[in-house]
Amino acid sequence: MAPVPPGIRLLVSFDRDQWYRALTFILTFLLYTSFHLSRKPISIVKSELHKNCSSASEPATSASSSSQHLSVQLLHADMDCGWKPFDKSNYKQLLGAMDYSFLCAYAVGMYLSGIIGERLPIRLYLTVGMLASGLFTCLFGLGYTYNIHSLGFYIFVSVANGLVQTTGWPSVVTCISNWFGKGRRGLIMGLWNSHTSVGNILGSLIAGYWVSSNWGLSFIVPGLIIAAMGVVCFFFLIEHPNDLKTLYAEKSSPSSVPTKSCNGVNGHTEVFLQYNDNKTQVYCCYEDVQNRKSYDTELLLPRDCARVLVQPVMVVKSKSEPSAISFMGALRIPGVVEFSLCLLFAKLVSYTFLFWLPLYITKAAHLDAKKAGDLSTLFDVGGIVGGILAGVTSDKLGKRATTCAVMLLLAAPTLYGFSMISELGLGPTIGMLLLCGGLVNGPYALITTAVSADLGTHKSLKGNARALSTVTAIIDGTGSVGAALGPLLAGLLSAGGWDKVFYMLMAADFLALVLLLRLVMKELASIKSRPTAAVELKEH
């Protein structure tokens, strides 16, 4: 008999639950990758929306209405002219306002999204959000196809897209937290959260491919991708492990596990599971087997009935589920306010880079839009490493706040160094982009994933896991306020020079650090008390 191939041995070494965990990890990773993939094009297209076209804009206004469309296209191609209304000297303010409209809608919608997500099926909620996001992303790109030059149109599409994109983050974090416990959560979430950077990289490459020839496709293609992933979500996303257990309970063989119903306590329908062998019969009576959110009591009894006492076993379960937590109740969880405000400033820095870095590279390094977009992906590569490093370190030390604080402390001088070095050549710019990406996105990634999951299952909730989506939405919603302010301030300050933008970013990093100091001191104080507690436990 031939030996079993090593690859097959590896595959069969994993049990069913591990395969479903892997499926959930990969699927939610790809789902949120598509969210960020669809957000990135605007930062790549900005340098194409505005070009040095002051001399070319005059003839365009004098063109007749019948040939206006052709004239604009010729000017755009031949005279290097921008796209109205972003072709004027106030283009930075207009682009900043467009970013602000998206991010402000995202911030407001995020607070509502978590509350709604706790009360609706995650799979359906996420599917609808992804399909709607694909629609509005494509609409932005159709502005090029149909020669739309109305600022109101682009603002409306940005606001609508910002609202529907809030369905993503609370849903995927809740789902991944349902499948993975607290053990090594920082490492798992750090690896998983790299979808943010992967999405930004793919979005930059896809948008950059068409930005110079047809920037409308820079939006349409990502829009189609996120819509397609929404369909995949509908067919394959498993919200909770209990969903599968209910499925297998329904499909259990009648010959191996006979069932019969009985009248339970207070009129509730109950089900008997009967396990037979030659010597014994054991009945396990439990309530409401169809309820996917109830505890799975059939697993309390082993299938091998010879190993259990020959007597009826009755398991009575709680007939009421824990209710979804209120907004104020979530705010009272220790650490939610501090981490939320810290994320406000950390995300301000991260999203300023997300929306303005390609344009800054274009101006500082004098590169075209495609090369600047490709180079900006290095910031996200550094973000992947930073997120994983933050997760591993916080797992090992057990100090989430301290890990974030150290990275924020190092990030501020690094930002200043980047502003100085980015004009010295390509080599130093690449190095500083990687370093800045790691230090800026590390705390942001840790707070939005592992910290949110920890707080959403805090011991003060007494086992109520239905707070996770609301807590995640509060933290990320507050962070999104900073994400809205950062690009807006960058648009206003950059008119007076890019140095002012970097000073603003360094100040934001410092404020984020200050807001974590109380939690850092609490974590450091716990180190001093730990040896005493360990001695007492050993003596006991």
Side-chain angles (χ1 to χ4, degrees), residues 57-91:
S57 60
E58 297 299 329
T61 58
S62 60
S64 63
S65 58
S66 60
S67 60
Q68 184 176 7
H69 179 70
L70 179 61
S71 299
V72 171
Q73 286 185 331
L74 290 173
L75 287 170
H76 185 68
D78 299 334
M79 299 184 181
D80 203 36
C81 183
W83 187 266
K84 294 182 180 180
F86 307 104
D87 57 341
K88 302 296 189 296
S89 60
N90 64 339
Y91 73 99

Side-chain angles (χ1 to χ4, degrees), residues 402-527:
T402 304
T403 303
C404 292
V406 170
M407 298 187 81
L408 289 169
L409 182 64
L410 296 174
T414 305
L415 290 172
Y416 179 77
F418 176 70
S419 67
M420 298 291 101
I421 293 176
S422 57
E423 298 181 0
L424 299 181
L426 189 60
T429 300
I430 291 174
M432 292 303 296
L433 277 173
L434 292 170
L435 186 58
C436 284
L439 294 176
V440 168
N441 283 342
Y444 163 39
L446 186 62
I447 293 173
T448 54
T449 54
V451 170
S452 296
D454 289 347
L455 295 176
T457 55
H458 194 268
K459 60 183 179 180
S460 65
L461 297 172
K462 299 178 180 179
N464 182 2
R466 296 193 66 189
L468 184 55
S469 182
T470 301
V471 170
T472 301
I474 289 174
I475 293 176
D476 198 52
T478 305
S480 297
V481 174
L485 290 175
L488 176 66
L489 292 175
L492 297 174
L493 295 175
S494 61
W498 288 103
D499 288 343
K500 294 182 179 179
V501 176
F502 281 97
Y503 291 144
M504 180 265 292
L505 298 178
M506 287 185 281
D509 255 328
F510 177 75
L511 290 173
L513 173 62
V514 170
L515 288 165
L516 284 183
L517 287 180
R518 189 185 73 85
L519 295 178
V520 171
M521 297 302 294
K522 185 177 179 180
E523 288 182 350
L524 295 179
S526 67
I527 297 177

Side-chain angles (χ1 to χ4, degrees), residues 18 36 79 111 116 221 231 355 374-375 482 528 534:
Q18 289 174 321
H36 265 266
M79 299 184 181
Y111 288 109
I116 297 171
V221 173
V231 176
F355 281 86
D374 293 343
L375 189 61
K528 299 179 180 179

Side-chain angles (χ1 to χ4, degrees), residues 55-193:
S55 60
S57 60
E58 297 299 329
T61 58
S62 60
S64 63
S65 58
S66 60
S67 60
Q68 184 176 7
H69 179 70
L70 179 61
S71 299
V72 171
Q73 286 185 331
L74 290 173
L75 287 170
H76 185 68
D78 299 334
M79 299 184 181
D80 203 36
C81 183
W83 187 266
K84 294 182 180 180
F86 307 104
D87 57 341
K88 302 296 189 296
S89 60
N90 64 339
Y91 73 99
K92 290 182 180 179
Q93 288 77 12
L94 295 181
L95 292 173
M98 192 165 59
D99 292 342
Y100 182 74
S101 63
F102 170 86
L103 294 169
C104 189
Y106 185 86
V108 173
M110 184 60 72
Y111 288 109
L112 300 175
S113 180
I115 298 173
I116 297 171
E118 294 281 11
R119 293 159 175 81
L120 293 176
I122 292 176
R123 180 174 60 89
L124 299 180
Y125 185 56
L126 187 55
T127 298
V128 172
M130 296 183 76
L131 291 174
S133 182
L135 171 64
F136 290 116
T137 303
C138 289
L139 278 178
F140 200 105
L142 290 175
Y144 178 91
T145 304
Y146 291 99
N147 198 35
I148 299 174
H149 297 277
S150 170
L151 179 63
F153 169 80
Y154 296 108
I155 294 291
F156 167 77
V157 172
S158 298
V159 169
N161 200 15
L163 288 174
V164 297
Q165 288 232 344
T166 60
T167 59
W169 188 244
S171 299
V172 294
V173 171
T174 299
C175 188
I176 197 73
S177 299
N178 287 339
W179 280 91
F180 295 91
K182 290 187 176 180
R184 294 186 299 173
R185 178 174 278 171
L187 171 61
I188 292 172
M189 291 293 198
L191 291 169
W192 178 75
N193 192 65

